[in-house]
Amino acid sequence: MSAAPTPAEGTAAVNTADLYDERGDELASVSLQFQSLGGRSHFSGQARTIRCFQDNALVKSTLATPGNGNVLVVDGAGSLGTALMGDMIAESAVANGWAGVVINGAIRDREAIAALDLGVKALGSNPRKSAKAGAGEVDVDVEIDGVTIRPGSMIWCDPDGILVER
């Protein structure tokens, strides 16, 4: 194991390569190349999901609720046009006990987020803020790179990638 930041309370850091070797086809691997942008390199938990497009109101409100060590998966349709999370929302996630956030889209405030004890995977960054209308859906099945992520399914993330329980 590497000297990674402390994983979520009550869980041990899991290397996705080792986990895949152990469990194989029980797990789906997201091959899309997400960047590791948070201060926690290894994170896992039960998935909560949001589907939205260039509107982060649901991301903000969800991460303001108790995370209980869960991982929020946001399907932003791969858009890099606006950021779906910045440092203030990420700080809220830490304060509320979220293990991490996976965003199929962009974040902003990369340097501040990198200093937080939060796992963050995103496609990249853009300083442009998003809409705040609340458009989107919470706790629905989302599909990223052909992998379906259902609310409540386990997800594991590290610098090698993302695995999801089938």
Side-chain angles (χ1 to χ4, degrees):
M1 299 268 175
S2 66
T6 306
E9 186 175 314
T11 63
V14 174
N15 291 315
T16 57
D18 295 339
L19 185 62
Y20 192 84
D21 288 350
E22 289 172 19
R23 297 189 51 193
D25 289 338
E26 295 175 20
L27 305 171
S29 178
V30 177
S31 60
L32 187 60
Q33 296 298 294
F34 282 82
Q35 297 179 38
S36 292
L37 300 170
R40 186 183 290 182
S41 64
H42 294 65
F43 60 101
S44 61
Q46 288 189 308
R48 294 278 313 276
T49 62
I50 293 176
R51 182 182 302 121
C52 60
F53 183 74
Q54 296 186 358
D55 184 323
N56 75 347
L58 293 175
V59 176
K60 180 178 181 180
S61 64
T62 301
L63 291 173
T65 64
N68 302 313
N70 292 330
V71 175
L72 182 63
V73 179
V74 181
D75 183 7
S79 173
L80 297 175
T82 65
L84 293 176
M85 184 177 74
D87 61 340
M88 291 171 48
I89 294 173
E91 288 170 359
S92 174
V94 172
N96 286 296
W98 291 84
V101 182
V102 174
I103 298 179
N104 185 20
I107 66 163
R108 65 188 210 166
D109 304 314
R110 286 171 77 125
E111 290 182 341
I113 289 173
L116 297 175
D117 185 22
L118 181 70
V120 177
K121 290 254 192 209
L123 298 181
S125 61
N126 186 333
R128 183 177 178 208
K129 65 182 178 180
S130 71
K132 313 278 187 239
E137 301 171 278
V138 179
D139 290 327
V140 295
D141 289 1
V142 297
E143 186 176 311
I144 298 175
D145 191 41
V147 174
T148 300
I149 302 157
R150 294 174 178 80
S153 61
M154 280 297 296
I155 184 168
W156 296 267
C157 305
D158 71 6
D160 280 341
I162 301 168
L163 293 176
V164 180
E165 191 173 53
R166 291 188 192 265

